[in-house]
Amino acid sequence: MQVENLDVLIMGAGISGIGMACHLRRRLPEKTFVILERRQAIGGTWDLFRYPGIRSDSDMCTFGYAFRPWTEPKILADGPAIRQYVNDTAREYNLGRTIRFERRVVRAEWSSVDRHWTVEVQREGDGRHERYRARFLVGCTGYYNYDAGHNPRLPGEEHFEGRIVHPQQWPEQLDYIGKRVVVIGSGATAVTLVPAMTDRAAHVTMLQRSPTYILSVPAIDPAASLWSWMPRGVAYRLARARNVALARALYVLSRARPKTVRRLLLREVRRQLRGTVDMRHFTPTYNPWDERMCVVPDGDLFRVLRRGKASIVTDHIESFTSSGLRLRSGEMLPADVVVKATGLDVQLMGGIDVVVDGKPVQSRDQMIYKGVLIQDVPNAAMMFGYSNIAWTLKVDIACEYLCRLLRHMDDHGFEMVVPRDRIGLRTEDTIFGSLSAGYIRRAEDRLPRQGKQTPWKVRNDYVRDMWTLRFGSIKDDVLEFRRADTTSSRGSHGRTTRVDRKSGRDVSPYASRRRERDGARAG
Ligand SMILES: Cc1cc2nc3c(=O)[nH]c(=O)nc-3n(C[C@H](O)[C@H](O)[C@H](O)COP(=O)(O)OP(=O)(O)OC[C@H]3O[C@@H](n4cnc5c(N)ncnc54)[C@H](O)[C@@H]3O)c2cc1C
């Protein structure tokens, strides 16, 4: 089998993988890299999800890359526009030949003797296997399983004579003209789908178990005319800074003064609904930002509810019947189409097997150093964005950090870097911290752990992360570097032994302390 040797191997051609490749092109143009993508297209989430109305719920000034301004006036962009933006970015950075489509990474094994990753790949089309070798591995595989969403089987589904669909596998030709649609769920997908489907459906019902905080934001940036007077790059940076500050202020205020924020959020919903819908459907039992908040452009969800094109029900499903759903309250919901917006199945590093020197790595045992490098896993990074503001804000600065780290390693002749927790800072919390959405609770046993303090504590704080990742020192007492002329193996007492390849001498700190001690005794 022919094996390709690379400096960096990127898994995934979504917004993060393409971003990482652009950062390499900009900062380390001499590095060789490929992007392995299991699908046939660029864009990840924005290519996979095709349900009506699919859009971002982050503003595009912060969801776009720092290095490539988003120029459309819409604040929350449609899926196809984001897909186009990612594709255009890849084209601008001439990434075409670096992306290998239909390559699913199944396994990556690190060897500390050879100082490289061996990456096993299965081709999606013909099932053939390929192998790649790389100095550094970057996981840009998002956070969920691409094969299927979370789709719990509900009682009586088999009796339903209508159509059941899941947003992750939206049937291209789904006909819902004049049909009664029930959307199960209360998250970002449900609040997007409900107004988007009302233009064709006879009626759309949103069926939720419990309410969510919903915030209406302007569809078009109110300052758009101001930005049009400025150079594009300046306007983008200013809009970005403003949106980061606003999002951060809302988050911090929600944590510090939950009652005040709750009152303000509910007051705005009441104003939007104008007494047409019972407020109990919009009054969550938890505090703002205990779970991800939903946003809607220009109150589109409230508008269709006001006009009676859609309705909202808060109840539990007893079972499907042949013509709809029977609820715990005894109410019957007639339906021709049921959309199960029941969420995602969380999966990290694309579900691959990661092995370090023969030992399998379990993500629930690891912490994430500076939110980028994986504890005890050499030369490996995981691009994992924010959950309270735009994902890409974090990915951008993480890519910058990685490029700085690679440059540092080149400058000092290091071949290997690995973050070690020497003082036991692991907690049992996951890296999502206090956010308690259903998909996070379901994945608790698979998620990396939160650290007690920096650099192991994953913070949802862009400004502090930006200082650390963009300007902070690379060297610290957590990162362990190995030079090109040393090999490593585990000593008989579990200590790390570093052997100089030329002289064969043990050059580990432990060995030098032992020599000093022996010398003192001999003296
Ligand atoms: C419907 C929806 C809406 C969202 N809206 C927002 C939003 O508004 N704001 C926000 O911040 N976040 C949002 N998110 C989260 C979103 O996933 C991220 O913002 C972002 O798109 C993730 O980009 P990514 O490139 O890291 O991962 P993804 O977009 O998930 O891309 C991962 C890529 O890796 C590939 N891959 C996976 N496993 C393998 C493997 N083993 N081998 C090879 N390739 C592999 C996949 O095929 C895919 O192309 C949303 C998520 C969903 C599902």
Side-chain angles (χ1 to χ4, degrees):
M1 191 188 298
Q2 215 184 339
V3 181
E4 202 168 337
N5 286 294
L6 304 152
D7 293 319
V8 182
L9 190 143
I10 301 170
M11 295 190 288
I15 198 162
S16 305
I18 297 299
M20 180 67 215
C22 294
H23 278 277
L24 284 173
R25 279 267 200 268
R26 289 161 65 90
R27 290 158 203 274
L28 300 168
E30 73 284 3
K31 292 277 176 223
T32 55
F33 68 88
V34 298
I35 306 177
L36 298 180
E37 169 53 57
R38 58 173 285 191
R39 305 183 70 246
Q40 291 171 334
I42 291 174
T45 298
W46 307 102
D47 187 65
L48 177 73
F49 279 83
R50 300 293 178 116
Y51 58 77
I54 168 81
R55 59 164 160 75
S56 72
D57 55 5
S58 298
D59 75 273
M60 285 308 294
C61 290
T62 54
F63 194 68
Y65 299 115
F67 57 85
R68 192 167 184 275
W70 171 262
T71 52
E72 317 242 332
K74 260 189 172 181
I75 289 186
L76 311 180
D78 305 335
I82 303 176
R83 191 163 66 234
Q84 188 62 45
Y85 171 77
V86 180
N87 270 283
D88 290 347
T89 308
R91 205 166 303 118
E92 197 174 298
Y93 281 82
N94 202 15
L95 297 181
R97 295 175 67 151
T98 66
I99 309 172
R100 312 281 157 81
F101 291 108
E102 297 195 289
R103 298 321 201 265
R104 179 192 192 135
V105 179
V106 289
R107 188 174 195 272
E109 171 147 21
W110 169 263
S111 159
S112 293
V113 174
D114 302 325
R115 305 273 167 87
H116 61 59
W117 286 97
T118 302
V119 176
E120 307 286 343
V121 172
Q122 190 172 4
R123 285 169 41 158
E124 291 286 49
D126 52 20
R128 276 173 38 203
H129 286 264
E130 286 178 356
R131 191 171 287 166
Y132 294 77
R133 257 201 296 267
R135 288 272 167 223
F136 220 99
L137 182 70
V138 188
C140 296
T141 51
Y143 66 100
Y144 61 87
N145 184 350
Y146 265 68
D147 293 322
H150 173 64
N151 192 357
R153 191 149 180 90
L154 299 171
E157 263 188 43
E158 63 283 8
H159 303 306
F160 183 54
E161 285 169 8
R163 186 93 192 254
I164 301 176
V165 294
H166 194 284
Q168 190 165 328
Q169 280 141 336
W170 195 264
E172 214 176 308
Q173 307 301 338
L174 182 71
D175 172 21
Y176 58 93
I177 298 173
K179 304 246 164 92
R180 295 161 304 174
V181 178
V182 173
V183 179
I184 303 173
S186 58
T189 303
V191 304
T192 303
L193 268 167
V194 170
M197 292 183 84
T198 51
D199 60 345
R200 293 197 200 168
H203 187 81
V204 184
T205 306
M206 179 166 148
L207 171 60
Q208 58 179 12
R209 263 195 313 217
S210 54
T212 307
Y213 288 103
I214 300 176
L215 175 67
S216 175
V217 297
I220 304 290
D221 190 339
S225 54
L226 178 70
W227 306 136
S228 64
W229 287 91
M230 296 180 191
R232 202 203 285 177
V234 176
Y236 187 58
R237 272 199 292 278
L238 284 176
R240 238 170 117 80
R242 176 202 59 186
N243 294 354
V244 167
L246 285 174
R248 183 73 196 155
L250 177 62
Y251 181 74
V252 171
L253 203 62
S254 299
R255 307 317 290 169
R257 307 287 296 272
K259 284 197 182 125
T260 310
V261 175
R262 177 182 169 86
R263 210 176 43 245
L264 292 173
L265 289 170
L266 297 187
R267 185 199 292 168
E268 174 56 17
V269 174
R270 204 171 291 116
R271 195 186 68 78
Q272 292 267 354
L273 291 171
R274 298 174 205 162
T276 52
V277 181
D278 192 331
M279 272 302 287
R280 78 186 168 88
H281 300 301
F282 294 94
T283 312
T285 50
Y286 55 87
N287 284 329
W289 272 119
D290 281 355
E291 291 190 20
R292 213 182 150 116
M293 209 177 275
C294 290
V295 291
V296 291
D298 281 347
D300 63 356
L301 174 70
F302 304 120
R303 192 168 53 245
V304 295
L305 289 168
R306 266 195 331 258
R307 292 183 182 166
K309 290 180 164 188
S311 47
I312 184 163
V313 174
T314 306
D315 207 333
H316 286 67
I317 297 169
E318 187 81 20
S319 75
F320 271 85
T321 66
S322 60
S323 58
L325 291 154
R326 184 185 306 116
L327 306 180
R328 200 181 276 173
S329 62
E331 191 185 341
M332 299 291 292
L333 272 188
D336 305 304
V337 176
V338 172
V339 182
K340 287 170 82 179
T342 40
L344 304 162
D345 176 24
V346 169
Q347 182 184 72
L348 298 185
M349 292 296 272
I352 71 167
D353 293 328
V354 179
V355 177
V356 172
D357 296 327
K359 286 198 201 106
V361 175
Q362 305 295 340
S363 51
R364 65 151 294 136
D365 296 335
Q366 318 300 124
M367 291 185 288
I368 308 294
Y369 170 85
K370 293 188 175 172
V372 186
L373 304 179
I374 309 169
Q375 180 191 355
D376 294 334
V377 180
N379 293 15
M382 187 171 79
M383 290 300 155
F384 198 79
Y386 291 123
S387 49
N388 63 348
I389 38 170
W391 175 274
T392 335
L393 280 175
K394 170 66 182 292
V395 170
D396 249 342
I397 50 177
C399 292
E400 275 188 48
Y401 169 76
L402 220 49
C403 290
R404 288 176 61 219
L405 176 68
L406 292 173
R407 167 73 64 227
H408 176 89
M409 290 172 73
D410 285 352
D411 289 350
H412 294 82
F414 295 132
E415 271 189 342
M416 180 172 151
V417 59
V418 55
R420 305 271 190 216
D421 169 31
R422 296 188 178 82
I423 44 179
L425 291 172
R426 199 169 71 122
T427 73
E428 278 315 304
D429 243 357
T430 72
I431 49 171
F432 282 100
S434 61
L435 204 65
S436 61
Y439 66 92
I440 298 171
R441 282 196 302 274
R442 287 195 297 274
E444 246 160 19
D445 60 335
R446 277 166 281 157
L447 289 170
R449 301 291 120 174
Q450 180 66 292
K452 280 185 196 141
Q453 62 190 55
T454 53
W456 297 107
K457 188 166 182 168
V458 175
R459 323 176 271 210
N460 273 301
D461 185 343
Y462 174 65
V463 175
R464 282 165 74 193
D465 284 347
M466 189 184 68
W467 281 106
T468 310
L469 294 174
R470 195 174 274 171
F471 307 114
S473 166
I474 295 286
K475 268 171 53 183
D476 61 16
D477 52 5
V478 173
L479 287 188
E480 188 178 294
F481 290 98
R482 307 265 175 92
R483 281 192 204 288
D485 57 354
T486 59
T487 61
S488 86
S489 61
R490 282 261 152 209
S492 57
H493 301 289
R495 297 179 181 98
T496 301
T497 309
R498 294 168 59 192
V499 182
D500 187 291
R501 274 187 185 146
K502 286 183 202 127
S503 66
R505 265 180 80 208
D506 184 351
V507 292
S508 56
Y510 164 70
S512 65
R513 277 200 304 277
R514 192 184 52 210
R515 273 195 299 276
E516 277 166 26
R517 199 182 54 220
D518 292 350
R521 274 200 200 127

